[in-house]
Amino acid sequence: MTLPHSKFSSRRPRGNAMNGEGAERAAVDTSCTTVHSLSTQDASRRLRYMQKDGRFPVVFQKAPGHWSPYLMDIFTTLVEVRWRVMFLFFLLSYTLSWLVFGLIYWLIAYVNGDIDGEERRLCVANVRGFTGAFLFSMETQATIGYGFRTMTENCMVAIIVVTIQDIFSCLLDTIIIGIIIAKMASARKRAQTVGFSRCAVINLRNGCLSLSWRLGDLRGNHILEGVVKATIVRYMKKPRGAIVMSYQDLDIPNREIVLATPATIIHKIEPGSPLYGVGPEDLLENNFEMVVSFTYTGDSTGMLHQTRTSYTPTDIHWGQRFQDVMKLRKGRYKVDYSLFNVTVWVPVPLLSAEKYDRRRGPLVGGQNPQPSSCLESQSGDSLQENPEESTEVNNQTFL
């Protein structure tokens, strides 16, 4: 979708654009006047490798005996289940244990003749039926101790059953409390307060085309340390429905950061980058997904967490930069998270990094132009970097 010329008329070069040559030249030199997006129909057909919230749309085919790994690692299984399933397990575990031991006490009382109510050598006093046995089982396991139903020293079997129930009660309480604490301190909950920007941008930084996205922590207790990683994921469909996945990591200098303030993660599109030959028009034709993650240690708990998301070509905005969010106010750094996802237009050539480097690279002995360094000054006929962009680079956290 091309924006109206009048909106960005001040940034358009003057000249005759009536013929094909002029129109082509205008398309090359115009900055920030074209928005590249996929149609809703194409976007709905494309399946994401990872959802924006970090979940993977992967379904595993059930094999024979697939429940065995879940039962062998029952603690992890219960930690990962939903809260309603956990509360159901909590309810059933105690209720069933009371019923089982109550049934055992009723059988002991029935065999010993305690149910008849005759005054003789009783095993369980004041148990006249299954209801009384169930109440005695609940009082014993919950350590209520009303004192009306008691265990006597006449039956060794009953004493052994009470001992087993006490040990089982301690073990069950430990498991239930541990699972609840583990679920409350889950890394997924902490990861919800550490987030990436909704989009990624491509702009000029120090004369080099760079891909950048934001990372911020919404909580006051800051993160001790963390590692940023980005991977380009592509998939190819083979005959008979088979899919082959390919992964290629993006080079990010200084991956380890302390997220005290929002950071702008930057990947320089240099030779060797999977995006080096991709231009703004090529984004529409490329079928890839950029998966980014941030693995960190929390300051409050010291636990290891991970936040992740993904960007498709429609989430990458060419010719934009993020709005400044951090300012110095009264001896403190003030961060405005309402501008965390806000972007502004900046002049950026509508060329791939490879073509852009060739265009400004010098000729050596008549050979093909060699890409110049991103830190070198641009030649006179190259598009100049926006001064606002240079200021933004200095103000942002640069990795």
Side-chain angles (χ1 to χ4, degrees):
M1 176 179 66
T2 303
L3 297 178
H5 294 183
S6 59
K7 186 174 182 179
F8 296 94
S9 58
S10 60
R11 296 182 180 178
R12 280 208 178 254
R14 297 180 180 178
N16 183 17
M18 298 298 295
N19 52 17
E21 181 180 359
E24 182 179 359
R25 181 176 301 174
V28 173
D29 295 339
T30 299
S31 301
C32 309
T33 59
T34 303
V35 179
H36 304 276
S37 60
L38 293 177
S39 63
T40 306
Q41 183 178 2
D42 295 337
S44 60
R45 292 180 179 179
R46 179 174 296 178
L47 179 63
R48 300 180 69 104
Y49 176 76
M50 178 193 294
Q51 303 296 334
K52 296 294 289 185
D53 57 359
R55 294 180 300 176
F56 294 89
V58 179
V59 178
F60 297 98
Q61 185 177 1
K62 298 180 180 180
H66 66 279
W67 287 107
S68 300
Y70 296 97
L71 296 179
M72 293 177 61
D73 190 9
I74 187 64
F75 183 82
T76 304
T77 302
L78 293 177
V79 171
E80 293 179 349
V81 296
R82 298 180 180 273
W83 275 105
R84 55 177 176 266
V85 180
M86 178 59 206
F87 285 135
L88 180 61
F89 173 79
F90 176 84
L91 178 64
L92 293 179
S93 60
Y94 283 100
T95 304
L96 291 178
S97 63
W98 296 338
L99 289 173
V100 170
F101 283 101
L103 179 61
I104 296 176
Y105 292 135
W106 178 79
L107 291 176
I108 294 176
Y110 179 79
V111 172
N112 194 56
D114 299 342
I115 299 179
D116 299 336
E118 298 179 0
E119 295 294 336
R120 54 179 183 178
R121 298 175 61 88
L122 300 176
C123 291
V124 184
N126 299 318
V127 173
R128 298 294 184 265
F130 179 76
T131 303
F134 174 78
L135 293 176
F136 176 74
S137 173
M138 183 174 60
E139 294 170 10
T140 301
Q141 186 167 334
T143 65
I144 298 176
Y146 290 127
F148 179 71
R149 300 175 183 84
T150 59
M151 178 65 60
T152 65
E153 58 184 10
N154 298 325
C155 296
M156 182 59 63
V157 177
I159 296 175
I160 294 176
V161 173
V162 170
T163 304
I164 294 175
Q165 186 177 11
D166 291 338
I167 298 175
F168 175 79
S169 175
C170 295
L171 179 62
L172 182 60
D173 293 341
T174 303
I175 295 175
I176 296 297
I177 294 174
I179 292 175
I180 293 178
I181 293 178
K183 288 184 68 66
M184 294 179 63
S186 175
R188 299 177 183 176
K189 301 300 181 182
R190 180 64 177 93
Q192 293 178 358
T193 60
V194 179
F196 292 93
S197 56
R198 288 194 295 264
C199 65
V201 296
I202 294 180
N203 48 39
L204 284 174
R205 292 178 179 269
N206 297 329
C208 177
L209 284 175
S210 302
L211 171 67
S212 59
W213 61 95
R214 262 184 177 164
L215 175 65
D217 184 10
L218 301 178
R219 295 185 64 93
N221 51 338
H222 303 305
I223 295 173
L224 295 180
E225 59 181 357
V227 179
V228 181
K229 184 179 180 181
T231 305
I232 294 293
V233 180
R234 303 176 188 268
Y235 68 89
M236 297 177 56
K237 292 185 178 180
K238 297 293 184 179
R240 299 181 181 179
I243 297 179
V244 178
M245 309 295 297
S246 64
Y247 308 87
Q248 188 173 2
D249 294 336
L250 294 182
D251 184 22
I252 302 177
N254 302 326
R255 297 176 179 270
E256 299 182 0
I257 62 174
V258 177
L259 198 61
T261 59
T264 301
I265 315 301
I266 299 174
H267 164 69
K268 292 184 178 180
I269 307 178
E270 298 176 324
S273 171
L275 303 176
Y276 186 63
V278 178
E281 298 294 341
D282 300 330
L283 284 176
L284 298 175
E285 302 176 358
N286 272 266
N287 186 16
F288 70 90
E289 190 167 341
M290 184 177 68
V291 177
V292 296
S293 63
F294 180 55
T295 306
Y296 53 94
T297 303
D299 187 12
S300 301
T301 60
M303 297 178 59
L304 192 65
H305 309 270
Q306 186 184 72
T307 300
R308 56 182 180 264
T309 189
S310 66
Y311 299 103
T312 59
T314 56
D315 299 325
I316 301 176
H317 298 170
W318 195 285
Q320 298 185 27
R321 70 173 179 88
F322 289 108
Q323 184 68 277
D324 297 333
V325 297
M326 187 170 58
K327 297 181 180 180
L328 184 60
R329 295 287 179 83
K330 298 180 180 181
R332 293 185 178 181
Y333 296 102
K334 182 180 179 180
V335 179
D336 187 3
Y337 270 101
S338 63
L339 303 176
F340 185 75
N341 294 297
V342 178
T343 59
V344 294
W345 295 98
V346 291
V348 175
L350 299 180
L351 298 171
S352 65
E354 182 179 6
K355 294 181 180 179
Y356 180 67
D357 290 341
R358 289 180 179 178
R359 178 179 179 181
R360 62 176 182 166
L363 291 175
V364 181
Q367 299 178 359
N368 293 331
Q370 300 295 327
S372 58
S373 174
C374 294
L375 299 179
E376 296 176 357
S377 60
Q378 302 181 30
S379 58
D381 58 346
S382 302
L383 291 176
Q384 298 297 324
E385 183 180 358
N386 187 12
E388 297 180 357
E389 176 66 16
S390 300
T391 305
E392 189 268 342
V393 174
N394 294 329
N395 292 337
Q396 295 290 343
T397 303
F398 186 81
L399 298 183

